[in-house]
Amino acid sequence: MKKFIENLRGRFAALADKNDEQMPLTMRNYVLMGVGLLVIILGMVLMCGGGSDDPNQFNYEMFSWRRITLAPILIVGGFAFEIYALLKKF
């Protein structure tokens, strides 16, 4: 696992474009923004479901810890990471 993480760090450090000095956002910023978007999508997927097929039947699964706590934390964290990705200067 450690080798995998170091491999990812090496690939991330090697990301460059010939126009990076002229552009306000570099390729690294776009990669970080993609990661933030994936975290937001994961939060939305975790929030899905919990309804009942029968409208006369109430389903308490709608109020699970995953939907009430974990998913909103991931979504807000993803948006915070997006702000970081936009403001980070490489």
Side-chain angles (χ1 to χ4, degrees), residues 22-60:
Q22 301 169 355
M23 302 298 285
L25 295 176
T26 65
M27 185 64 83
R28 292 178 183 175
N29 293 100
Y30 290 119
V31 170
L32 290 177
M33 288 170 52
V35 170
L37 181 65
L38 288 176
V39 171
I40 293 169
I41 290 172
L42 176 65
M44 293 290 185
V45 167
L46 288 176
M47 201 179 291
C48 289
S52 177
D53 294 333
D54 183 14
N56 297 324
Q57 183 72 22
F58 186 76
N59 188 357
Y60 284 100

Side-chain angles (χ1 to χ4, degrees), residues 2-3 7 12 22 34 36-40 42 46 54 57 61 65 68 74 79 85 89:
K2 187 175 182 180
K3 186 143 180 107
N7 187 12
F12 184 72
Q22 301 169 355
L37 181 65
L38 288 176
V39 171
I40 293 169
L42 176 65
L46 288 176
D54 183 14
Q57 183 72 22
E61 184 62 28
W65 180 84
I68 297 295
L74 282 176
F79 279 115
K89 183 70 176 164

Side-chain angles (χ1 to χ4, degrees), residues 70-85:
L70 181 62
I73 288 173
L74 282 176
I75 292 170
V76 171
F79 279 115
F81 193 77
E82 288 285 335
I83 293 170
Y84 170 77

